[in-house]
Amino acid sequence: MGVLEMLLSFASVFVAGMLFFVFKKSNPIYLKLALAFTGSFLFALSMVHLLPGVFKSESENIGYFILLGFFIQLILEYFSEGIEHGHIHVHQHHNHSFPLAMMAGLCIHSFLEGMPLAGKFDGHDHNHSLLTGILLHHLPVAFALVSMLSASGISRTFTIINLAIFAAMAPMGAIASEILGHTELMNISTYYNQIMAVVIGIFLHISTTILFESGSDHRFNLYKMVVIILGALLALL
């Protein structure tokens, strides 16, 4: 993940969150459809590209690391309250207190997803597809984050600061992997498949949660099916 890619990752997620101040409110239908599209993309990407790659490797016990990622995300969602797949919980009943646990869970989630994007892993296949998947997933999440913080009574300045922190987490994960790769303690490139397997587990949890959620409106479910197919087709390309 080069400098330009890091800047693109940060800027696109930050701008997506800032769009909330332009539109002034979030339409839950559009947000859920955007998340369904990205969830489908992540699911297809994992099944067609990422999973075969890690299982072709000589690394042992890859399945355990996928399960680890799945359950890590399960734990993180206890704190993030499911904002990764569009669940927005307003915290006004806490007297405008900042939802620190939610922010921490969301940031750890993003940091872990960014780790396989390090420059040490540039020789591996599908890194650009992985970056695309992460970006597509983070764009609607950034919008949902700003929507939730604003509705909770958090000041605009503090909301923007936390949006910037979230936008920086995936690049920071890549930077952390890069730094670890230059230490004498470990050669992180040898653990690429294990790290990727954890991320795949996270993707599978998020994508299946999004895909299996249904709306009460039949028309919404039809639209959702269409965007799911489109997301899967994009991943296949």
PDB file of all heavy atoms in Angstrom, residues 197-232:
ATOM      1  N   ALA A 197      -6.316 -14.500   6.640  1.00  0.00           N
ATOM      2  CA  ALA A 197      -7.381 -15.395   7.082  1.00  0.00           C
ATOM      3  C   ALA A 197      -8.237 -14.737   8.158  1.00  0.00           C
ATOM      4  O   ALA A 197      -9.466 -14.884   8.165  1.00  0.00           O
ATOM      5  CB  ALA A 197      -6.783 -16.701   7.597  1.00  0.00           C
ATOM      6  N   VAL A 198      -7.602 -14.000   9.073  1.00  0.00           N
ATOM      7  CA  VAL A 198      -8.352 -13.277  10.100  1.00  0.00           C
ATOM      8  C   VAL A 198      -9.258 -12.237   9.449  1.00  0.00           C
ATOM      9  O   VAL A 198     -10.433 -12.095   9.813  1.00  0.00           O
ATOM     10  CB  VAL A 198      -7.396 -12.614  11.115  1.00  0.00           C
ATOM     11  CG1 VAL A 198      -8.153 -11.674  12.043  1.00  0.00           C
ATOM     12  CG2 VAL A 198      -6.670 -13.672  11.938  1.00  0.00           C
ATOM     13  N   VAL A 199      -8.730 -11.513   8.472  1.00  0.00           N
ATOM     14  CA  VAL A 199      -9.528 -10.502   7.764  1.00  0.00           C
ATOM     15  C   VAL A 199     -10.676 -11.156   7.006  1.00  0.00           C
ATOM     16  O   VAL A 199     -11.799 -10.629   6.974  1.00  0.00           O
ATOM     17  CB  VAL A 199      -8.633  -9.679   6.810  1.00  0.00           C
ATOM     18  CG1 VAL A 199      -9.472  -8.762   5.923  1.00  0.00           C
ATOM     19  CG2 VAL A 199      -7.624  -8.858   7.603  1.00  0.00           C
ATOM     20  N   ILE A 200     -10.427 -12.317   6.400  1.00  0.00           N
ATOM     21  CA  ILE A 200     -11.497 -13.038   5.706  1.00  0.00           C
ATOM     22  C   ILE A 200     -12.615 -13.391   6.686  1.00  0.00           C
ATOM     23  O   ILE A 200     -13.805 -13.258   6.375  1.00  0.00           O
ATOM     24  CB  ILE A 200     -10.950 -14.308   5.036  1.00  0.00           C
ATOM     25  CG1 ILE A 200     -10.052 -13.940   3.849  1.00  0.00           C
ATOM     26  CG2 ILE A 200     -12.094 -15.208   4.548  1.00  0.00           C
ATOM     27  CD1 ILE A 200      -9.291 -15.119   3.265  1.00  0.00           C
ATOM     28  N   GLY A 201     -12.234 -13.836   7.874  1.00  0.00           N
ATOM     29  CA  GLY A 201     -13.237 -14.141   8.893  1.00  0.00           C
ATOM     30  C   GLY A 201     -14.071 -12.921   9.251  1.00  0.00           C
ATOM     31  O   GLY A 201     -15.297 -13.012   9.423  1.00  0.00           O
ATOM     32  N   ILE A 202     -13.411 -11.764   9.350  1.00  0.00           N
ATOM     33  CA  ILE A 202     -14.129 -10.514   9.619  1.00  0.00           C
ATOM     34  C   ILE A 202     -15.079 -10.193   8.469  1.00  0.00           C
ATOM     35  O   ILE A 202     -16.250  -9.847   8.679  1.00  0.00           O
ATOM     36  CB  ILE A 202     -13.118  -9.359   9.825  1.00  0.00           C
ATOM     37  CG1 ILE A 202     -12.342  -9.568  11.131  1.00  0.00           C
ATOM     38  CG2 ILE A 202     -13.834  -8.007   9.842  1.00  0.00           C
ATOM     39  CD1 ILE A 202     -11.218  -8.579  11.344  1.00  0.00           C
ATOM     40  N   PHE A 203     -14.581 -10.336   7.234  1.00  0.00           N
ATOM     41  CA  PHE A 203     -15.422 -10.079   6.061  1.00  0.00           C
ATOM     42  C   PHE A 203     -16.644 -10.996   6.034  1.00  0.00           C
ATOM     43  O   PHE A 203     -17.756 -10.557   5.720  1.00  0.00           O
ATOM     44  CB  PHE A 203     -14.611 -10.287   4.780  1.00  0.00           C
ATOM     45  CG  PHE A 203     -13.671  -9.166   4.448  1.00  0.00           C
ATOM     46  CD1 PHE A 203     -12.783  -9.295   3.384  1.00  0.00           C
ATOM     47  CD2 PHE A 203     -13.666  -7.987   5.169  1.00  0.00           C
ATOM     48  CE1 PHE A 203     -11.911  -8.265   3.063  1.00  0.00           C
ATOM     49  CE2 PHE A 203     -12.797  -6.952   4.851  1.00  0.00           C
ATOM     50  CZ  PHE A 203     -11.917  -7.101   3.790  1.00  0.00           C
ATOM     51  N   LEU A 204     -16.425 -12.269   6.330  1.00  0.00           N
ATOM     52  CA  LEU A 204     -17.528 -13.223   6.273  1.00  0.00           C
ATOM     53  C   LEU A 204     -18.595 -12.897   7.308  1.00  0.00           C
ATOM     54  O   LEU A 204     -19.800 -13.019   7.040  1.00  0.00           O
ATOM     55  CB  LEU A 204     -17.009 -14.646   6.480  1.00  0.00           C
ATOM     56  CG  LEU A 204     -16.167 -15.222   5.331  1.00  0.00           C
ATOM     57  CD1 LEU A 204     -15.675 -16.617   5.672  1.00  0.00           C
ATOM     58  CD2 LEU A 204     -16.960 -15.245   4.028  1.00  0.00           C
ATOM     59  N   HIS A 205     -18.175 -12.486   8.492  1.00  0.00           N
ATOM     60  CA  HIS A 205     -19.152 -12.118   9.524  1.00  0.00           C
ATOM     61  C   HIS A 205     -19.969 -10.906   9.086  1.00  0.00           C
ATOM     62  O   HIS A 205     -21.206 -10.918   9.153  1.00  0.00           O
ATOM     63  CB  HIS A 205     -18.439 -11.826  10.845  1.00  0.00           C
ATOM     64  CG  HIS A 205     -19.397 -11.572  11.972  1.00  0.00           C
ATOM     65  ND1 HIS A 205     -20.095 -10.385  12.093  1.00  0.00           N
ATOM     66  CD2 HIS A 205     -19.780 -12.345  13.022  1.00  0.00           C
ATOM     67  CE1 HIS A 205     -20.860 -10.442  13.174  1.00  0.00           C
ATOM     68  NE2 HIS A 205     -20.683 -11.621  13.742  1.00  0.00           N
ATOM     69  N   ILE A 206     -19.281  -9.867   8.631  1.00  0.00           N
ATOM     70  CA  ILE A 206     -19.969  -8.634   8.239  1.00  0.00           C
ATOM     71  C   ILE A 206     -20.882  -8.876   7.046  1.00  0.00           C
ATOM     72  O   ILE A 206     -22.056  -8.485   7.046  1.00  0.00           O
ATOM     73  CB  ILE A 206     -18.944  -7.535   7.901  1.00  0.00           C
ATOM     74  CG1 ILE A 206     -18.220  -7.095   9.164  1.00  0.00           C
ATOM     75  CG2 ILE A 206     -19.631  -6.327   7.254  1.00  0.00           C
ATOM     76  CD1 ILE A 206     -17.061  -6.175   8.899  1.00  0.00           C
ATOM     77  N   SER A 207     -20.340  -9.519   6.013  1.00  0.00           N
ATOM     78  CA  SER A 207     -21.109  -9.682   4.776  1.00  0.00           C
ATOM     79  C   SER A 207     -22.331 -10.564   4.980  1.00  0.00           C
ATOM     80  O   SER A 207     -23.423 -10.243   4.482  1.00  0.00           O
ATOM     81  CB  SER A 207     -20.216 -10.255   3.676  1.00  0.00           C
ATOM     82  OG  SER A 207     -19.693 -11.520   4.034  1.00  0.00           O
ATOM     83  N   THR A 208     -22.196 -11.658   5.711  1.00  0.00           N
ATOM     84  CA  THR A 208     -23.351 -12.536   5.919  1.00  0.00           C
ATOM     85  C   THR A 208     -24.396 -11.867   6.797  1.00  0.00           C
ATOM     86  O   THR A 208     -25.599 -12.046   6.578  1.00  0.00           O
ATOM     87  CB  THR A 208     -22.926 -13.879   6.532  1.00  0.00           C
ATOM     88  OG1 THR A 208     -22.125 -13.653   7.714  1.00  0.00           O
ATOM     89  CG2 THR A 208     -22.122 -14.703   5.544  1.00  0.00           C
ATOM     90  N   THR A 209     -23.957 -11.079   7.772  1.00  0.00           N
ATOM     91  CA  THR A 209     -24.915 -10.351   8.608  1.00  0.00           C
ATOM     92  C   THR A 209     -25.728  -9.387   7.756  1.00  0.00           C
ATOM     93  O   THR A 209     -26.950  -9.290   7.883  1.00  0.00           O
ATOM     94  CB  THR A 209     -24.193  -9.577   9.722  1.00  0.00           C
ATOM     95  OG1 THR A 209     -23.456 -10.490  10.537  1.00  0.00           O
ATOM     96  CG2 THR A 209     -25.187  -8.822  10.596  1.00  0.00           C
ATOM     97  N   ILE A 210     -25.032  -8.666   6.866  1.00  0.00           N
ATOM     98  CA  ILE A 210     -25.724  -7.719   5.982  1.00  0.00           C
ATOM     99  C   ILE A 210     -26.658  -8.454   5.025  1.00  0.00           C
ATOM    100  O   ILE A 210     -27.827  -8.080   4.849  1.00  0.00           O
ATOM    101  CB  ILE A 210     -24.712  -6.891   5.177  1.00  0.00           C
ATOM    102  CG1 ILE A 210     -23.924  -5.953   6.106  1.00  0.00           C
ATOM    103  CG2 ILE A 210     -25.415  -6.080   4.088  1.00  0.00           C
ATOM    104  CD1 ILE A 210     -22.769  -5.254   5.411  1.00  0.00           C
ATOM    105  N   LEU A 211     -26.174  -9.532   4.417  1.00  0.00           N
ATOM    106  CA  LEU A 211     -26.939 -10.217   3.384  1.00  0.00           C
ATOM    107  C   LEU A 211     -28.166 -10.921   3.937  1.00  0.00           C
ATOM    108  O   LEU A 211     -29.197 -11.015   3.256  1.00  0.00           O
ATOM    109  CB  LEU A 211     -26.049 -11.227   2.649  1.00  0.00           C
ATOM    110  CG  LEU A 211     -24.888 -10.632   1.855  1.00  0.00           C
ATOM    111  CD1 LEU A 211     -24.071 -11.739   1.204  1.00  0.00           C
ATOM    112  CD2 LEU A 211     -25.395  -9.671   0.797  1.00  0.00           C
ATOM    113  N   PHE A 212     -28.072 -11.399   5.175  1.00  0.00           N
ATOM    114  CA  PHE A 212     -29.193 -12.159   5.720  1.00  0.00           C
ATOM    115  C   PHE A 212     -30.224 -11.279   6.412  1.00  0.00           C
ATOM    116  O   PHE A 212     -31.296 -11.760   6.796  1.00  0.00           O
ATOM    117  CB  PHE A 212     -28.696 -13.231   6.690  1.00  0.00           C
ATOM    118  CG  PHE A 212     -27.967 -14.354   6.000  1.00  0.00           C
ATOM    119  CD1 PHE A 212     -26.817 -14.900   6.554  1.00  0.00           C
ATOM    120  CD2 PHE A 212     -28.424 -14.855   4.796  1.00  0.00           C
ATOM    121  CE1 PHE A 212     -26.133 -15.927   5.923  1.00  0.00           C
ATOM    122  CE2 PHE A 212     -27.752 -15.889   4.150  1.00  0.00           C
ATOM    123  CZ  PHE A 212     -26.602 -16.427   4.715  1.00  0.00           C
ATOM    124  N   GLU A 213     -29.911  -9.996   6.586  1.00  0.00           N
ATOM    125  CA  GLU A 213     -30.907  -9.087   7.134  1.00  0.00           C
ATOM    126  C   GLU A 213     -31.933  -8.771   6.051  1.00  0.00           C
ATOM    127  O   GLU A 213     -31.577  -8.482   4.909  1.00  0.00           O
ATOM    128  CB  GLU A 213     -30.255  -7.783   7.607  1.00  0.00           C
ATOM    129  CG  GLU A 213     -29.491  -7.933   8.908  1.00  0.00           C
ATOM    130  CD  GLU A 213     -28.884  -6.614   9.357  1.00  0.00           C
ATOM    131  OE1 GLU A 213     -28.682  -5.730   8.495  1.00  0.00           O
ATOM    132  OE2 GLU A 213     -28.606  -6.482  10.555  1.00  0.00           O
ATOM    133  N   SER A 214     -33.187  -8.824   6.399  1.00  0.00           N
ATOM    134  CA  SER A 214     -34.242  -8.539   5.419  1.00  0.00           C
ATOM    135  C   SER A 214     -35.066  -7.350   5.888  1.00  0.00           C
ATOM    136  O   SER A 214     -35.179  -7.077   7.085  1.00  0.00           O
ATOM    137  CB  SER A 214     -35.147  -9.760   5.227  1.00  0.00           C
ATOM    138  OG  SER A 214     -35.776 -10.100   6.447  1.00  0.00           O
ATOM    139  N   GLY A 215     -35.631  -6.652   4.934  1.00  0.00           N
ATOM    140  CA  GLY A 215     -36.493  -5.520   5.256  1.00  0.00           C
ATOM    141  C   GLY A 215     -37.943  -5.951   5.323  1.00  0.00           C
ATOM    142  O   GLY A 215     -38.336  -7.009   4.827  1.00  0.00           O
ATOM    143  N   SER A 216     -38.757  -5.110   5.933  1.00  0.00           N
ATOM    144  CA  SER A 216     -40.172  -5.430   6.045  1.00  0.00           C
ATOM    145  C   SER A 216     -40.931  -5.130   4.759  1.00  0.00           C
ATOM    146  O   SER A 216     -42.049  -5.595   4.573  1.00  0.00           O
ATOM    147  CB  SER A 216     -40.792  -4.626   7.200  1.00  0.00           C
ATOM    148  OG  SER A 216     -40.584  -3.235   6.995  1.00  0.00           O
ATOM    149  N   ASP A 217     -40.307  -4.354   3.875  1.00  0.00           N
ATOM    150  CA  ASP A 217     -40.955  -3.955   2.635  1.00  0.00           C
ATOM    151  C   ASP A 217     -40.496  -4.858   1.493  1.00  0.00           C
ATOM    152  O   ASP A 217     -39.301  -5.029   1.278  1.00  0.00           O
ATOM    153  CB  ASP A 217     -40.608  -2.494   2.315  1.00  0.00           C
ATOM    154  CG  ASP A 217     -41.303  -2.012   1.057  1.00  0.00           C
ATOM    155  OD1 ASP A 217     -42.487  -1.649   1.133  1.00  0.00           O
ATOM    156  OD2 ASP A 217     -40.651  -2.032  -0.005  1.00  0.00           O
ATOM    157  N   HIS A 218     -41.450  -5.420   0.759  1.00  0.00           N
ATOM    158  CA  HIS A 218     -41.112  -6.345  -0.330  1.00  0.00           C
ATOM    159  C   HIS A 218     -40.305  -5.655  -1.419  1.00  0.00           C
ATOM    160  O   HIS A 218     -39.390  -6.246  -1.991  1.00  0.00           O
ATOM    161  CB  HIS A 218     -42.396  -6.940  -0.916  1.00  0.00           C
ATOM    162  CG  HIS A 218     -42.149  -7.943  -1.996  1.00  0.00           C
ATOM    163  ND1 HIS A 218     -41.614  -9.199  -1.743  1.00  0.00           N
ATOM    164  CD2 HIS A 218     -42.341  -7.889  -3.347  1.00  0.00           C
ATOM    165  CE1 HIS A 218     -41.500  -9.871  -2.881  1.00  0.00           C
ATOM    166  NE2 HIS A 218     -41.927  -9.095  -3.864  1.00  0.00           N
ATOM    167  N   ARG A 219     -40.637  -4.379  -1.703  1.00  0.00           N
ATOM    168  CA  ARG A 219     -39.918  -3.645  -2.731  1.00  0.00           C
ATOM    169  C   ARG A 219     -38.460  -3.446  -2.321  1.00  0.00           C
ATOM    170  O   ARG A 219     -37.561  -3.554  -3.152  1.00  0.00           O
ATOM    171  CB  ARG A 219     -40.586  -2.292  -2.988  1.00  0.00           C
ATOM    172  CG  ARG A 219     -39.878  -1.461  -4.051  1.00  0.00           C
ATOM    173  CD  ARG A 219     -40.604  -0.164  -4.321  1.00  0.00           C
ATOM    174  NE  ARG A 219     -41.922  -0.397  -4.905  1.00  0.00           N
ATOM    175  CZ  ARG A 219     -42.753   0.590  -5.238  1.00  0.00           C
ATOM    176  NH1 ARG A 219     -42.423   1.850  -5.008  1.00  0.00           N
ATOM    177  NH2 ARG A 219     -43.926   0.306  -5.777  1.00  0.00           N
ATOM    178  N   PHE A 220     -38.245  -3.151  -1.027  1.00  0.00           N
ATOM    179  CA  PHE A 220     -36.869  -3.006  -0.554  1.00  0.00           C
ATOM    180  C   PHE A 220     -36.085  -4.292  -0.760  1.00  0.00           C
ATOM    181  O   PHE A 220     -34.939  -4.273  -1.193  1.00  0.00           O
ATOM    182  CB  PHE A 220     -36.845  -2.624   0.931  1.00  0.00           C
ATOM    183  CG  PHE A 220     -35.477  -2.717   1.549  1.00  0.00           C
ATOM    184  CD1 PHE A 220     -34.526  -1.727   1.311  1.00  0.00           C
ATOM    185  CD2 PHE A 220     -35.122  -3.803   2.341  1.00  0.00           C
ATOM    186  CE1 PHE A 220     -33.257  -1.814   1.864  1.00  0.00           C
ATOM    187  CE2 PHE A 220     -33.862  -3.889   2.895  1.00  0.00           C
ATOM    188  CZ  PHE A 220     -32.927  -2.889   2.655  1.00  0.00           C
ATOM    189  N   ASN A 221     -36.701  -5.430  -0.451  1.00  0.00           N
ATOM    190  CA  ASN A 221     -36.011  -6.706  -0.625  1.00  0.00           C
ATOM    191  C   ASN A 221     -35.678  -6.967  -2.088  1.00  0.00           C
ATOM    192  O   ASN A 221     -34.655  -7.574  -2.401  1.00  0.00           O
ATOM    193  CB  ASN A 221     -36.873  -7.844  -0.069  1.00  0.00           C
ATOM    194  CG  ASN A 221     -36.934  -7.824   1.452  1.00  0.00           C
ATOM    195  OD1 ASN A 221     -35.983  -7.395   2.106  1.00  0.00           O
ATOM    196  ND2 ASN A 221     -38.039  -8.271   2.008  1.00  0.00           N
ATOM    197  N   LEU A 222     -36.530  -6.497  -3.005  1.00  0.00           N
ATOM    198  CA  LEU A 222     -36.249  -6.636  -4.433  1.00  0.00           C
ATOM    199  C   LEU A 222     -35.041  -5.775  -4.812  1.00  0.00           C
ATOM    200  O   LEU A 222     -34.133  -6.234  -5.511  1.00  0.00           O
ATOM    201  CB  LEU A 222     -37.459  -6.224  -5.261  1.00  0.00           C
ATOM    202  CG  LEU A 222     -37.258  -6.202  -6.788  1.00  0.00           C
ATOM    203  CD1 LEU A 222     -36.906  -7.593  -7.300  1.00  0.00           C
ATOM    204  CD2 LEU A 222     -38.506  -5.659  -7.475  1.00  0.00           C
ATOM    205  N   TYR A 223     -35.026  -4.522  -4.365  1.00  0.00           N
ATOM    206  CA  TYR A 223     -33.892  -3.645  -4.640  1.00  0.00           C
ATOM    207  C   TYR A 223     -32.619  -4.218  -4.046  1.00  0.00           C
ATOM    208  O   TYR A 223     -31.542  -4.161  -4.657  1.00  0.00           O
ATOM    209  CB  TYR A 223     -34.146  -2.246  -4.061  1.00  0.00           C
ATOM    210  CG  TYR A 223     -35.237  -1.463  -4.756  1.00  0.00           C
ATOM    211  CD1 TYR A 223     -35.928  -0.465  -4.082  1.00  0.00           C
ATOM    212  CD2 TYR A 223     -35.567  -1.712  -6.085  1.00  0.00           C
ATOM    213  CE1 TYR A 223     -36.926   0.267  -4.712  1.00  0.00           C
ATOM    214  CE2 TYR A 223     -36.570  -0.996  -6.723  1.00  0.00           C
ATOM    215  CZ  TYR A 223     -37.249  -0.006  -6.026  1.00  0.00           C
ATOM    216  OH  TYR A 223     -38.226   0.710  -6.662  1.00  0.00           O
ATOM    217  N   LYS A 224     -32.743  -4.758  -2.839  1.00  0.00           N
ATOM    218  CA  LYS A 224     -31.575  -5.330  -2.168  1.00  0.00           C
ATOM    219  C   LYS A 224     -31.027  -6.505  -2.965  1.00  0.00           C
ATOM    220  O   LYS A 224     -29.812  -6.643  -3.116  1.00  0.00           O
ATOM    221  CB  LYS A 224     -31.936  -5.763  -0.747  1.00  0.00           C
ATOM    222  CG  LYS A 224     -30.755  -6.323   0.036  1.00  0.00           C
ATOM    223  CD  LYS A 224     -31.156  -6.670   1.462  1.00  0.00           C
ATOM    224  CE  LYS A 224     -29.971  -7.267   2.217  1.00  0.00           C
ATOM    225  NZ  LYS A 224     -30.317  -7.617   3.612  1.00  0.00           N
ATOM    226  N   MET A 225     -31.906  -7.346  -3.487  1.00  0.00           N
ATOM    227  CA  MET A 225     -31.460  -8.485  -4.283  1.00  0.00           C
ATOM    228  C   MET A 225     -30.697  -8.014  -5.522  1.00  0.00           C
ATOM    229  O   MET A 225     -29.675  -8.582  -5.894  1.00  0.00           O
ATOM    230  CB  MET A 225     -32.653  -9.342  -4.694  1.00  0.00           C
ATOM    231  CG  MET A 225     -32.275 -10.564  -5.529  1.00  0.00           C
ATOM    232  SD  MET A 225     -33.698 -11.587  -5.942  1.00  0.00           S
ATOM    233  CE  MET A 225     -34.601 -10.475  -7.032  1.00  0.00           C
ATOM    234  N   VAL A 226     -31.172  -6.940  -6.148  1.00  0.00           N
ATOM    235  CA  VAL A 226     -30.523  -6.408  -7.346  1.00  0.00           C
ATOM    236  C   VAL A 226     -29.127  -5.900  -7.009  1.00  0.00           C
ATOM    237  O   VAL A 226     -28.149  -6.215  -7.705  1.00  0.00           O
ATOM    238  CB  VAL A 226     -31.370  -5.288  -7.977  1.00  0.00           C
ATOM    239  CG1 VAL A 226     -30.591  -4.595  -9.096  1.00  0.00           C
ATOM    240  CG2 VAL A 226     -32.679  -5.854  -8.516  1.00  0.00           C
ATOM    241  N   VAL A 227     -28.993  -5.114  -5.931  1.00  0.00           N
ATOM    242  CA  VAL A 227     -27.676  -4.559  -5.597  1.00  0.00           C
ATOM    243  C   VAL A 227     -26.731  -5.655  -5.108  1.00  0.00           C
ATOM    244  O   VAL A 227     -25.514  -5.568  -5.314  1.00  0.00           O
ATOM    245  CB  VAL A 227     -27.780  -3.416  -4.562  1.00  0.00           C
ATOM    246  CG1 VAL A 227     -28.605  -2.271  -5.098  1.00  0.00           C
ATOM    247  CG2 VAL A 227     -28.330  -3.901  -3.234  1.00  0.00           C
ATOM    248  N   ILE A 228     -27.264  -6.695  -4.489  1.00  0.00           N
ATOM    249  CA  ILE A 228     -26.430  -7.826  -4.079  1.00  0.00           C
ATOM    250  C   ILE A 228     -25.834  -8.512  -5.303  1.00  0.00           C
ATOM    251  O   ILE A 228     -24.645  -8.850  -5.335  1.00  0.00           O
ATOM    252  CB  ILE A 228     -27.250  -8.820  -3.222  1.00  0.00           C
ATOM    253  CG1 ILE A 228     -27.478  -8.255  -1.818  1.00  0.00           C
ATOM    254  CG2 ILE A 228     -26.547 -10.175  -3.139  1.00  0.00           C
ATOM    255  CD1 ILE A 228     -28.422  -9.081  -0.980  1.00  0.00           C
ATOM    256  N   ILE A 229     -26.657  -8.719  -6.324  1.00  0.00           N
ATOM    257  CA  ILE A 229     -26.162  -9.344  -7.559  1.00  0.00           C
ATOM    258  C   ILE A 229     -25.099  -8.460  -8.214  1.00  0.00           C
ATOM    259  O   ILE A 229     -24.058  -8.940  -8.671  1.00  0.00           O
ATOM    260  CB  ILE A 229     -27.330  -9.603  -8.528  1.00  0.00           C
ATOM    261  CG1 ILE A 229     -28.262 -10.684  -7.947  1.00  0.00           C
ATOM    262  CG2 ILE A 229     -26.814 -10.031  -9.898  1.00  0.00           C
ATOM    263  CD1 ILE A 229     -29.551 -10.875  -8.734  1.00  0.00           C
ATOM    264  N   LEU A 230     -25.345  -7.156  -8.241  1.00  0.00           N
ATOM    265  CA  LEU A 230     -24.379  -6.231  -8.832  1.00  0.00           C
ATOM    266  C   LEU A 230     -23.060  -6.229  -8.061  1.00  0.00           C
ATOM    267  O   LEU A 230     -21.976  -6.204  -8.659  1.00  0.00           O
ATOM    268  CB  LEU A 230     -24.960  -4.819  -8.876  1.00  0.00           C
ATOM    269  CG  LEU A 230     -26.131  -4.594  -9.841  1.00  0.00           C
ATOM    270  CD1 LEU A 230     -26.673  -3.177  -9.700  1.00  0.00           C
ATOM    271  CD2 LEU A 230     -25.698  -4.855 -11.279  1.00  0.00           C
ATOM    272  N   GLY A 231     -23.138  -6.274  -6.739  1.00  0.00           N
ATOM    273  CA  GLY A 231     -21.920  -6.309  -5.924  1.00  0.00           C
ATOM    274  C   GLY A 231     -21.113  -7.565  -6.181  1.00  0.00           C
ATOM    275  O   GLY A 231     -19.880  -7.517  -6.290  1.00  0.00           O
ATOM    276  N   ALA A 232     -21.791  -8.699  -6.283  1.00  0.00           N
ATOM    277  CA  ALA A 232     -21.110  -9.961  -6.546  1.00  0.00           C
ATOM    278  C   ALA A 232     -20.466  -9.954  -7.930  1.00  0.00           C
ATOM    279  O   ALA A 232     -19.325 -10.413  -8.113  1.00  0.00           O
ATOM    280  CB  ALA A 232     -22.076 -11.127  -6.413  1.00  0.00           C
TER     281      ALA A 232
END
